[in-house]
């Protein structure tokens, strides 16, 4: 049996009762924390809380050669831990399909996810979100700084459809992307495209969702690029036109500029 266990948003306390039982009953416990991780907990704290040793898998062990640890589930109870809710990442679906092809029984134990939490935190309606995307850090190739522009294309396509965009921000072993960095990169992508729609648009930053010191800030994107929301993890939202309740929610919950109320739709 291979159990995919979601750990929730922030720390070791976010796991469900069902998830905790599955972890404690498991013979082996593995985890990956590169698609998401619990900013409020360390692997040591997780192991102490679960009463189980947790082996953190490398990206290669998850994406390239997972057959070894997945194969343990033929004869043993294996728990695979992920931040947020399992199967939000296509990586996890790939692992489940591999396991099923190997004749291994699988199950999913769900937990809270940033995908749904942003609606409650910001007041933006869940049904109005379009395709989500990720903003990666720029990289250098042949001595040239490369900025991926596909996130900008997703945002603009959603705006044309009057849909909000949730942008996941890059997580690397030695750093995490902040809301200010993500907003600045979006504006850079827009400048590269020779357009100026986002320069006049709103952005919403969410930091440390699920924690007692979560921060939710809405501001014009150029100003958001200068805001410090503190420690990880961060996500960025680019809203489309707002229903009046969404606008009121952003003003009340995220200190958005009050003038957005004048432009909201009835």
């Amino acid at each position: 049996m291979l159990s995919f266990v979601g750990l929730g948003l922030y720390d070791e306390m976010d796991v469900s009762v069902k998830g905790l039982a599955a972890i404690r009953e498991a013979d082996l416990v593995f985890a990956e924390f590169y698609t998401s991780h619990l900013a409020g907990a360390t692997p040591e704290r997780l192991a102490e809380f679960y009463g189980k040793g947790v082996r953190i898998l490398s990206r290669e062990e998850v994406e390239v050669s997972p057959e070894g640890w997945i194969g343990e589930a033929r004869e043993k109870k294996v728990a695979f831990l992920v931040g947020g809710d399992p199967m939000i990442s296509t990586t996890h679906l790939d692992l489940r399909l591999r396991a099923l092809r190997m004749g291994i029984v699988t199950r999913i134990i769900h937990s809270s996810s940033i995908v749904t939490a942003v609606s409650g935190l910001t007041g933006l309606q869940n049904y109005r979100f379009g395709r989500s995307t990720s903003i990666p850090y720029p990289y250098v190739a042949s001595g040239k700084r490369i900025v991926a522009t596909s996130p900008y294309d997703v945002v603009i396509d959603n705006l044309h459809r009057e849909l909000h965009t949730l942008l996941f921000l890059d997580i690397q072993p030695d750093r995490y992307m902040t809301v200010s960095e993500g907003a600045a990169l979006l504006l850079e992508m827009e400048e590269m495209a020779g357009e100026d729609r986002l320069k006049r648009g709103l952005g919403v930053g969410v930091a440390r969702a699920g924690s007692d010191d979560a921060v939710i800030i809405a501001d014009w994107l150029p100003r958001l690029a200068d805001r410090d929301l503190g420690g990880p993890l961060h996500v960025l939202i680019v809203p489309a036109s707002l229903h009046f309740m969404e606008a009121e929610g952003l003003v009340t919950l995220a200190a958005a500029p009050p003038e957005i109320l004048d432009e909201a739709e009835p």
Side-chain angles (χ1 to χ4, degrees):
M1 166 77 75
L2 175 59
S3 298
F4 292 83
V5 182
L7 301 182
L9 292 171
Y10 187 70
D11 62 22
E12 70 274 15
M13 302 295 289
D14 284 340
V15 68
S16 68
V17 174
K18 184 182 289 187
L20 182 59
I23 295 169
R24 291 179 173 171
E25 292 170 359
D27 300 307
L28 296 170
V29 181
F30 301 97
E32 70 87 1
F33 293 130
Y34 70 86
T35 58
S36 180
H37 76 269
L38 302 184
T42 63
E44 292 75 22
R45 280 177 57 181
L46 295 177
E48 181 180 1
F49 182 71
Y50 302 148
K52 286 276 186 177
V54 180
R55 182 185 161 198
I56 310 300
L57 299 170
S58 68
R59 189 164 192 154
E60 180 175 352
E61 289 176 301
V62 174
E63 293 190 345
V64 180
S65 54
E67 289 80 10
W69 63 267
I70 289 178
E72 297 279 4
R74 288 193 179 97
E75 305 294 335
K76 300 176 181 178
K77 294 180 180 178
V78 174
F80 177 66
L81 316 183
V82 302
D85 188 43
M87 305 301 146
I88 296 297
S89 168
T90 54
T91 297
H92 304 150
L93 173 60
D94 175 66
L95 292 174
R96 190 182 189 197
L97 294 176
R98 287 179 189 241
L100 291 171
R101 287 195 293 267
M102 294 166 69
I104 295 168
V105 176
T106 67
R107 66 171 173 167
I108 302 170
I109 301 177
H110 295 284
S111 190
S112 51
S113 167
I114 191 64
V115 173
T116 52
V118 290
S119 293
L121 290 168
T122 64
L124 295 172
Q125 296 301 304
N126 178 262
Y127 72 91
R128 294 203 59 215
F129 277 81
R131 175 187 168 194
S132 59
T133 188
S134 301
I135 301 180
Y137 278 110
Y139 63 95
V140 177
S142 302
K144 183 179 179 181
R145 179 173 174 273
I146 306 297
V147 176
T149 59
S150 56
Y152 176 76
D153 297 333
V154 171
V155 170
I156 295 301
D157 183 61
N158 281 340
L159 289 176
H160 285 320
R161 299 169 187 267
E162 292 294 343
L163 297 173
H164 310 320
T165 306
L166 171 62
L167 297 123
F168 302 104
L169 304 180
D170 203 352
I171 301 170
Q172 296 190 1
D174 58 343
R175 59 179 177 169
Y176 66 92
M177 186 178 292
T178 65
V179 162
S180 61
E181 290 174 315
L185 280 168
L186 266 185
L187 293 171
E188 183 178 352
M189 296 173 203
E190 178 171 69
E191 185 176 353
M192 294 166 62
E195 300 174 356
D196 66 351
R197 181 166 181 176
L198 298 187
K199 190 182 297 183
R200 298 175 283 108
L202 195 68
V204 185
V206 177
R208 297 175 303 285
S211 74
D212 291 335
D213 67 339
V215 173
I216 303 92
I217 294 292
D219 207 340
W220 307 117
L221 270 168
R223 296 205 303 221
L224 199 59
D226 293 326
R227 300 291 291 266
D228 181 3
L229 276 62
L233 293 175
H234 292 193
V235 295
L236 176 63
I237 304 161
V238 176
S241 60
L242 300 169
H243 182 270
F244 75 91
M245 285 190 63
E246 292 180 305
E248 184 177 353
L250 287 177
V251 170
T252 304
L253 302 173
E259 55 264 37
I260 69 171
L261 293 169
D262 300 328
E263 301 176 1
E265 300 177 351

